[in-house]
Amino acid sequence: MSHLPLPLYGFAAFFMIFWFGTWCVHLIAICYGKYKLHKKSCKLPTESSPLPGVSILKPLMGVDPNLQHNLETFFTMDYPLYELLFCVEDKHDPAIKLVEQLLDKYPLIDANLFVGGSDVGVNPKINNIHPGYMAAKYDFVMISDSGIKMKDDTLLDMVQNMSERHALVHQMPFTCDRDGFAATFEKVFFGTVQSRIYLSADALGINCHTGMSCLLRKAVIDQLGGLRAFGCYLAEDFFIAKRVTELGWKMRISNQPALQNSGLCDIGSFQARLIRWAKLRVAMVPTTILLEPLSECLVLGALAACSASLLFAWDPLVFYLVHILGWFLSDWLLLSIVQHGSMPFHKFEFVIGWFFRELSGPYLFLHALWNPAIRWRTRTFKLHWGGIAYELPLNNTPASESPLIASQQQQQQPAPTLLTATAAAATATSTSTTTLATTTCSGSGSGSGLGTGTGTGSSTGSSTGVATTGTLPMAKHRLLVS
């Protein structure tokens, strides 16, 4: 084989080194997951160091069959001091009635409902929860997506992971046990691919934060300009973690994974979600374009098999099959560690779900590269390199970005201008404030030109809004946003 070009041997050596490094990631994730996950904390609060209060932000839009149960788990947590701040953009959203029913059912829980949102950037989630964030009264703020189900001791675990050196504690995404192949596919993804990257990144101190369930020091976020400072990003979670660590603070995952429990579970919508995440990763970390496809089991195995054949004259087919078997077994082991109990599906279902994930992964990534526009319900965004987002005009938005994403266009609602707050405690009061906020976002990466927007429509990077509230001594009141 001496007649082969020398650069070919260089590529073969590179792929073998990359293959070896990927297996190191497997080993780190398995060992760290075994050490970190589901570990009970022995620290107990004392009179000299009581547990701090936590303000929990819950962005809501629409309802699904599991929403009431998911929200109710926040009313029954075993934690002494917290408030629930439910945030809904549309005053006609059916989630409002559901929240009001829970407020009536649990009158002793400190809870408020904010309807209307704010206009502080292009990020719909930041716009939705911003009024709740401004009203938060405790030193720690938790942001928790609507589909998250809480265990009794989850908040306690997150707080106890928040040491004096940490400003951000986040949960590794996982799923509850649900029926159907779509639920199996989701659990396989979050328990293998996602967990492998998440655990190894946290062990190595790499930013892996996802914002579906996280606990923040409010003073640190305020120092960075508050949540409105991140309204120009769609991946606000990544940039919050980035800015927090740049200030010298630490972040880490909690012992308990975040239990996603959406009542609407289908392959198409989940794959659309994976495509959207891939588009965000490519814009934020451009090296993802090269590294992510190479980290896929089938792609990397084929390259490593050819390299091993060239360098060591090993049988490529045998090498490839052993590689796939080893990857499969390590993924099963990692999923078992994350699950921490019996699997809700048969081993054969895992085999089918695992192969489906491995075969569809490269296709979904290529789909993300082919069409970088990101559809968020009725709105479509594009990203500059570095993560700054801007919104495309509605008349230029395609009717359907793909068959996978078309299913997301069914439940659409206009942005409102009314803000309603419902307090559960009969003695709750609110201090009169008038706020005039103007925010312009900028960041690293090429192309930072942004437009402006005001009112209840969309904004693309710069927005102005005025909110006026009066003294409200009653338990239930409403605020108007002009």
Side-chain angles (χ1 to χ4, degrees):
M1 293 183 289
S2 59
H3 64 281
L4 294 176
L6 186 61
L8 193 60
Y9 288 94
F11 280 114
F14 168 78
F15 288 131
M16 288 304 298
I17 294 173
F18 191 86
W19 177 81
F20 179 78
T22 303
W23 280 105
C24 290
V25 171
H26 277 272
L27 183 61
I28 292 172
I30 291 172
C31 295
Y32 187 65
K34 188 68 175 177
Y35 160 77
K36 177 69 176 178
L37 298 180
H38 307 288
K39 182 173 63 175
K40 295 294 183 180
S41 176
C42 298
K43 296 185 297 182
L44 296 176
T46 62
E47 293 184 0
S48 59
S49 58
L51 292 171
V54 179
S55 299
I56 302 176
L57 298 173
K58 294 291 294 182
L60 305 176
M61 177 175 286
V63 298
D64 67 54
N66 292 344
L67 180 61
Q68 180 171 355
H69 174 68
N70 293 337
L71 297 184
E72 195 161 7
T73 61
F74 285 81
F75 286 86
T76 58
M77 292 187 298
D78 186 13
Y79 194 82
L81 187 63
Y82 66 94
E83 64 172 344
L84 297 173
L85 306 174
F86 298 99
C87 303
V88 184
E89 277 195 307
D90 189 350
K91 63 181 179 180
H92 302 296
D93 197 308
I96 294 176
K97 182 177 180 181
L98 190 152
V99 171
E100 290 176 339
Q101 291 173 351
L102 290 173
L103 296 180
D104 292 337
K105 185 177 180 180
Y106 297 94
L108 299 181
I109 300 298
D110 186 4
N112 294 278
L113 172 62
F114 298 86
V115 179
S118 298
D119 191 11
V120 296
V122 299
N123 188 307
K125 181 177 178 180
I126 295 294
N127 287 338
N128 192 5
I129 65 176
H130 187 258
Y133 176 82
M134 297 301 294
K137 61 185 179 183
Y138 293 123
D139 294 335
F140 292 92
V141 173
M142 179 182 182
I143 300 176
S144 176
D145 287 355
S146 61
I148 298 297
K149 175 183 177 181
M150 294 287 274
K151 294 183 178 179
D152 293 343
D153 60 344
T154 300
L155 182 56
L156 177 63
D157 174 71
M158 297 181 72
V159 170
Q160 291 182 336
N161 271 282
M162 182 74 76
S163 73
E164 295 181 355
R165 299 181 298 112
H166 293 84
L168 171 59
V169 173
H170 52 111
Q171 289 188 280
M172 184 183 74
F174 196 48
T175 63
C176 290
D177 295 346
R178 294 169 294 173
D179 297 328
F181 178 72
T184 299
F185 178 60
E186 287 191 22
K187 187 173 285 288
V188 168
F189 172 82
F190 285 108
T192 59
V193 181
Q194 182 80 0
S195 294
R196 180 168 62 249
I197 300 302
Y198 218 89
L199 289 169
S200 58
D202 189 68
L204 298 174
I206 300 173
N207 183 2
C208 60
H209 174 227
T210 60
M212 65 177 61
S213 182
C214 61
L215 183 67
L216 304 160
R217 289 187 183 271
K218 191 172 187 294
V220 175
I221 304 302
D222 288 339
Q223 182 181 352
L224 295 172
L227 285 184
R228 64 162 60 102
F230 303 95
C232 55
Y233 305 108
L234 289 185
E236 80 290 339
D237 45 9
F238 174 86
F239 290 99
I240 287 175
K242 183 174 182 291
R243 296 287 301 279
V244 165
T245 54
E246 287 174 350
L247 290 179
W249 291 91
K250 301 291 184 181
M251 67 175 184
R252 64 180 174 188
I253 64 172
S254 65
N255 300 333
Q256 297 184 17
L259 298 179
Q260 301 173 83
N261 190 39
S262 174
L264 303 176
C265 184
D266 64 90
I267 297 293
S269 60
F270 181 61
Q271 288 185 322
R273 189 180 176 194
L274 297 181
I275 291 173
R276 185 170 68 247
W277 288 350
K279 293 175 180 180
L280 292 172
R281 289 194 300 273
V282 168
M284 295 182 302
V285 188
T287 53
T288 300
I289 297 175
L290 177 63
L291 297 180
E292 189 159 329
L294 290 181
S295 64
E296 292 286 348
C297 171
L298 302 182
V299 175
L300 179 60
L303 294 172
C306 295
S307 300
S309 175
L310 178 63
L311 296 175
F312 311 114
W314 292 349
D315 188 321
L317 180 59
V318 173
F319 184 97
Y320 191 52
L321 294 177
V322 172
H323 162 85
I324 293 176
L325 178 61
W327 198 294
F328 173 84
L329 293 176
S330 66
D331 275 353
W332 172 261
L333 178 59
L334 181 59
L335 177 59
S336 300
I337 292 172
V338 178
Q339 175 72 10
H340 195 60
S342 60
M343 297 292 178
F345 45 75
H346 193 272
K347 290 184 177 62
F348 179 74
E349 293 179 89
F350 172 76
V351 173
I352 300 301
W354 186 86
F355 272 106
F356 183 67
R357 212 272 357 140
E358 296 301 331
L359 290 170
S360 62
Y363 161 74
L364 296 178
F365 186 76
L366 291 176
H367 187 285
L369 293 180
W370 181 259
N371 186 358
I374 297 175
R375 177 169 292 277
W376 186 282
R377 301 185 183 272
T378 57
R379 303 166 68 181
T380 303
F381 305 88
K382 279 195 173 182
L383 302 179
H384 294 296
W385 293 115
I388 298 289
Y390 64 96
E391 186 171 2
L392 297 179
L394 291 177
N395 55 356
N396 292 337
T397 301
S400 175
E401 187 174 326
S402 76
L404 295 177
I405 303 177
S407 61
Q408 295 185 339
Q409 305 175 21
Q410 297 176 357
Q411 297 180 353
Q412 310 299 344
Q413 297 163 336
T417 58
L418 175 68
L419 175 63
T420 304
T422 303
T427 60
T429 61
S430 169
T431 305
S432 175
T433 61
T434 301
T435 303
L436 175 62
T438 303
T439 302
T440 301
C441 295
S442 62
S444 60
S446 62
S448 59
L450 301 176
T452 61
T454 60
T456 62
S458 59
S459 79
T460 55
S462 178
S463 59
T464 302
V466 181
T468 304
T469 70
T471 302
L472 302 166
M474 300 183 63
K476 294 187 177 181
H477 49 271
R478 66 173 36 190
L479 309 178
L480 294 179
V481 176
S482 58

